[in-house]
Amino acid sequence: ILVILTSASLNLAFQNALQAADALKGQVNVMVVDSQTTSVGLGLLVQSAAEAVAQGQSATDVERMVRSLIPHIYMMVCTPGLSYMYHAGFLDQAQAFVGEMLGLMPIFTIEEGQISAVEKVRNTRNLVDFMQEFVCEFDELQHIAFIQSVPGLTHEAKLMREHAQNCFPQSPFSEHTINLPLATLIGPRSIGLVVIEKLEPAHRH
């Protein structure tokens, strides 16, 4: 059994799964993987694992592939709702209050499972510019995903889609509405981007 879970630093699911796997030791082989990401990043990782299973790969090979892919998944989110991050324990109250009062939209990355602030923008146009520059830093991408806020940002999604298709015409581009776990963490008005760097064949095994 292969279990792939959201980043251990974001909730307790990974630790709980480790305890459950330990309780079953000797009865069934349970492999628990910390995806070090969440939301769409986790979904794309699970999708890659499912495709490998469908191709007939063994559980051990799939686990190895998943672990090799994790460092190549990059996720960034931008949220105007800093009070959500305060309640989730990622910001102190003063930071959240001042940021919201000034109308700032901080951009955070999720790398190695940790949330880190990287930039602040004033509006969604600046955010799209930042995301477009980020995408262009890569040579090859396996997948590009845009996470929509609630309500959705049709114009911004269109700009990102056109830019991604111009830079990486062979790479799939998908759009997703922010899901409940991520919205609870960073707020429903948040916007995100997930990219998976394309692996060389030697790194797939």
Side-chain angles (χ1 to χ4, degrees):
I1 299 174
L2 177 61
V3 184
I4 308 171
L5 297 164
T6 196
S7 171
S9 66
L10 301 181
N11 68 35
L12 297 175
F14 178 73
Q15 294 300 328
N16 291 338
L18 283 181
Q19 293 176 12
D22 188 60
L24 293 171
K25 190 175 293 184
Q27 303 174 51
V28 62
N29 183 25
V30 181
M31 295 169 282
V32 183
V33 177
D34 177 358
S35 72
Q36 298 185 20
T37 186
T38 188
S39 184
V40 176
L42 173 61
L44 292 174
L45 190 62
V46 171
Q47 181 178 321
S48 296
E51 290 171 354
V53 170
Q55 293 168 5
Q57 294 188 33
S58 68
T60 301
D61 286 341
V62 174
E63 180 195 18
R64 188 180 300 116
M65 181 276 295
V66 166
R67 292 190 185 279
S68 70
L69 193 57
I70 288 172
H72 299 274
I73 297 178
Y74 301 87
M75 182 173 183
M76 68 167 56
V77 294
C78 179
T79 176
L82 296 179
S83 57
Y84 284 87
M85 298 197 71
Y86 158 63
H87 289 297
F90 294 109
L91 293 176
D92 62 40
Q93 191 171 21
Q95 287 176 309
F97 176 77
V98 171
E100 290 191 347
M101 184 179 66
L102 295 176
L104 297 177
M105 299 175 64
I107 300 173
F108 300 87
T109 59
I110 300 179
E111 293 186 6
E112 298 181 353
Q114 302 294 324
I115 294 181
S116 304
V118 293
E119 185 61 276
K120 300 182 185 72
V121 294
R122 287 285 184 180
N123 52 54
T124 54
R125 176 67 256 190
N126 296 149
L127 171 61
V128 170
D129 289 342
F130 187 88
M131 286 183 166
Q132 289 176 341
E133 291 175 7
F134 175 75
V135 167
C136 286
E137 293 177 2
F138 296 91
D139 293 325
E140 288 188 88
L141 291 176
Q142 181 176 320
H143 196 105
I144 306 166
F146 183 72
I147 302 173
Q148 285 265 27
S149 64
V150 178
L153 298 171
T154 305
H155 178 64
E156 287 76 4
K158 179 175 180 288
L159 291 175
M160 280 304 305
R161 181 171 60 253
E162 291 175 348
H163 181 77
Q165 290 172 345
N166 284 335
C167 293
F168 300 97
Q170 304 303 318
S171 302
F173 180 90
S174 58
E175 297 175 33
H176 310 261
T177 300
I178 189 169
N179 62 14
L180 183 58
L182 187 59
T184 302
L185 187 68
I186 62 175
R189 294 169 56 213
S190 302
I191 306 163
L193 179 72
V194 179
V195 299
I196 301 182
E197 194 173 24
K198 194 168 187 178
L199 298 185
E200 295 295 330
H203 292 109
R204 294 181 181 274
H205 304 289

